[in-house]
Amino acid sequence: MNPKNKQAQAIVRRLKKTYPRAAIALHFHNPLELLVATILSAQCTDKKVNEVTEDLFKHYRSVDDYAEADPAQFEQAIRSTGFYRNKAKNIIAAAQKIMSDFKGTVPQAMDALVSLPGVARKTANIVLFSGFGIIEGIAVDTHVRRLSQRLGLTMHDDPSKIEQDLMGLVAKKDWGFFSYLLIEHGRAICAAKKPLCPECVLKDICPSRKKFYP
């Protein structure tokens, strides 16, 4: 096993111990709600999305409801999540495609999910793992990108390349949870502007520590 794989194993082991309840922060009851919430979460906090979906999910309960939604009304319902026009367009179009191509059921395959408007690999990975328990890859959001770069696990900026690097280092059984572990750590310790390196459980194996605390 090469040094980077050992480092990745150590990172997973320590973060699991530190954040034993790490899980997706979005609220949902089924894969359709998870899909909608994840699309809404782009450039928006999970807290805000949960506030919006608490009411949204009471009015939109089925794929039909989304597919037949009035665009103007739907835009207003999700307005506070930002980029609401584009998100509304994608969610409605995704629901229509689910109706026409997938018999009204959110698909359980990566290639099918990424064919939906507004769905790239990050969203698809989240829906597959947290919605269906299927491990296909590693969801790369801003926290995952920042921490994987700081930890020296990747040198890339492109999410798809970062995902490939991480998949080569992290054991497949941990792919689904790895994102949530990094997200928890990013929020609690490894912040974008001022990481709390002295309090970090990874400080002795993080190549970026001296950059912030020389």
Side-chain angles (χ1 to χ4, degrees), residues 7-209:
Q7 180 200 21
Q9 276 193 357
I11 289 168
V12 171
R13 185 170 60 250
R14 294 185 193 186
L15 292 183
K16 278 184 176 179
K17 187 175 180 180
T18 306
Y19 310 103
R21 297 182 180 179
I24 189 167
L26 296 171
H27 298 167
F28 64 97
H29 299 96
N30 53 60
L32 175 62
E33 290 186 353
L34 177 57
L35 174 63
V36 171
T38 307
I39 293 174
L40 292 176
S41 71
Q43 305 297 314
C44 182
T45 66
D46 291 341
K47 180 180 179 181
K48 174 55 69 176
V49 172
N50 288 337
E51 290 174 0
V52 169
T53 57
E54 183 177 3
D55 187 59
L56 188 76
F57 292 161
K58 293 175 183 176
H59 294 87
Y60 299 88
R61 297 177 176 273
S62 67
V63 178
D64 274 336
D65 291 339
Y66 290 101
E68 297 173 1
D70 176 78
Q73 289 182 358
F74 195 77
E75 285 176 6
Q76 291 308 306
I78 65 169
R79 187 184 183 99
S80 60
T81 66
F83 302 97
Y84 61 94
R85 289 193 178 90
N86 199 45
K87 290 178 181 179
K89 178 182 176 182
N90 284 334
I91 289 171
I92 292 171
Q96 291 170 346
K97 189 173 178 66
I98 290 171
M99 291 296 298
S100 63
D101 295 8
F102 303 107
K103 300 179 180 179
T105 302
V106 177
Q108 300 184 38
M110 175 63 74
D111 58 347
L113 281 167
V114 297
S115 75
L116 300 176
V119 178
R121 279 192 64 93
K122 183 194 86 168
T123 297
N125 275 319
I126 292 170
V127 172
L128 286 172
F129 180 66
S130 293
F132 298 108
I134 297 171
I135 298 174
E136 184 74 24
I138 297 174
V140 178
D141 74 345
T142 54
H143 291 289
V144 175
R145 179 175 62 184
R146 180 176 73 254
L147 270 67
S148 60
Q149 290 171 340
R150 286 181 177 174
L151 289 165
L153 301 178
T154 185
M155 296 179 65
H156 293 111
D157 284 315
D158 178 74
S160 62
K161 292 181 179 179
I162 293 172
E163 182 185 7
Q164 289 302 311
D165 286 344
L166 296 178
M167 287 166 64
L169 297 173
V170 177
K172 185 173 182 178
K173 65 181 178 64
D174 295 317
W175 285 0
F177 285 113
F178 189 63
S179 296
Y180 302 141
L181 291 172
L182 290 189
I183 290 169
E184 289 278 358
H185 195 58
R187 287 172 174 161
I189 300 294
C190 198
K193 292 184 178 179
K194 191 175 182 181
L196 305 175
C197 297
E199 302 174 31
C200 182
V201 296
L202 306 175
K203 60 186 177 184
D204 60 312
I205 57 174
C206 178
S208 298
R209 181 172 64 90

